[in-house]
Amino acid sequence: MQLAGVDPADPGAEQRKARNIATAAKRAGLTQIIHTSVSATGWRSQHPGYELGDLMTAYWDEKEAAEDAIRQAGLDHWTIFKPAFYMDNFLPARQDTQSPGLAEGKLITATSPQAKLALINADDFGAAVAAAVADPVEFREAEIEFSGDVLTFPEIADALSKAAGREITAVSLSWKEQEQRLGAPFADSQVWNDRVGYPARPHHAARYGLTTTTFAQWAARQDWTIPTA
């Protein structure tokens, strides 16, 4: 499993890139920068005893340091969007890496059936960024936890079943079982969602006049045809 922004061969790459971009923007006389991070940055201060594997630790270190680079860049207007888990990860084209087993009708996770997952879709996120570009004053120094829906995995499976027209069942495995299937980082992230989770909720976006889409609405618009070899 690869995590966005984490390059084991180049520790600190994401925060360094963020700092370089922000510095270049400042020198070029730009007044606004919009940074994409992830929902829940800073969570470790509220869960001091929670231990993570090396890759997941690096992931959060990079995200939080990159945010700090943007805050400290000295630009007149900056915005940090913190999107939750992308609905698009459930699409057929991404199932092999994001939801193995979904093509066979099983939504397999190490997250418990009761835990909720905050969800956002790419179109809503694009519209939000466009809104921030159009109104830098309104979004000045805004840090927006961004999601359009919050569902348990059984609820996600139910919505997918209705949209795809076939039965999809949520299956909850132990960390060890999921680690054996997909590797420790993948299992770690799912157990993390169970114990900590993304705090983004639709009302966070609504405060800025941003509209979001529910998972059922999004799923109904997708093509659930499974590609064949």
Side-chain angles (χ1 to χ4, degrees):
M1 176 187 180
Q2 292 186 340
L3 295 175
V6 178
D7 182 356
D10 188 11
E14 183 173 14
Q15 56 183 289
R16 186 172 63 253
K17 291 174 183 177
R19 188 174 297 107
N20 289 344
I21 290 170
T23 300
K26 178 74 172 178
R27 290 175 177 172
L30 299 181
T31 60
Q32 181 188 30
I33 194 166
I34 297 171
H35 177 66
T36 302
S37 186
V38 63
S39 179
T41 48
W43 66 269
R44 287 177 292 184
S45 65
Q46 299 174 4
H47 300 267
Y50 196 126
E51 297 294 332
L52 293 169
D54 292 344
L55 191 59
M56 288 297 295
T57 296
Y59 174 82
W60 291 107
D61 286 346
E62 292 279 18
K63 296 298 182 187
E64 292 165 4
E67 287 183 7
D68 284 340
I70 299 302
R71 296 185 190 104
Q72 299 166 9
L75 292 168
D76 292 339
H77 302 90
W78 55 263
T79 305
I80 298 175
F81 281 104
K82 302 183 180 185
F85 190 84
Y86 277 94
M87 300 176 187
D88 309 73
N89 287 329
F90 294 107
L91 289 173
R94 306 199 69 181
Q95 287 174 12
D96 286 348
T97 57
Q98 295 295 324
S99 299
L102 198 55
E104 290 74 43
K106 294 182 180 180
L107 181 57
I108 303 172
T109 175
T111 302
S112 71
Q114 298 78 27
K116 292 184 177 292
L117 177 66
L119 300 152
I120 191 64
N121 81 79
D123 289 343
D124 286 350
F125 182 64
V129 171
V133 170
D135 193 348
V137 174
E138 173 65 19
F139 288 86
R140 183 175 184 267
E141 297 186 8
E143 301 189 26
I144 305 173
E145 296 278 355
F146 202 57
S147 75
D149 211 344
V150 187
L151 299 173
T152 64
F153 276 92
E155 289 171 337
I156 292 170
D158 183 58
L160 290 173
S161 296
K162 292 175 181 176
R166 60 189 180 89
E167 184 176 359
I168 296 172
T169 304
V171 178
S172 184
L173 300 181
S174 67
W175 178 90
K176 186 62 176 178
E177 291 170 318
Q178 193 70 317
E179 187 268 342
Q180 290 174 343
R181 290 180 70 245
L182 304 172
F186 202 105
D188 284 345
S189 67
Q190 293 180 344
V191 172
W192 173 87
N193 183 68
D194 201 348
R195 299 180 183 177
V196 180
Y198 300 113
R201 296 295 183 268
H203 68 264
H204 295 137
R207 290 174 186 168
Y208 292 88
L210 301 172
T211 58
T212 53
T213 306
T214 68
F215 187 73
Q217 291 170 335
W218 170 84
R221 300 199 299 255
Q222 309 307 313
D223 179 6
W224 295 103
T225 304
I226 300 173
T228 56

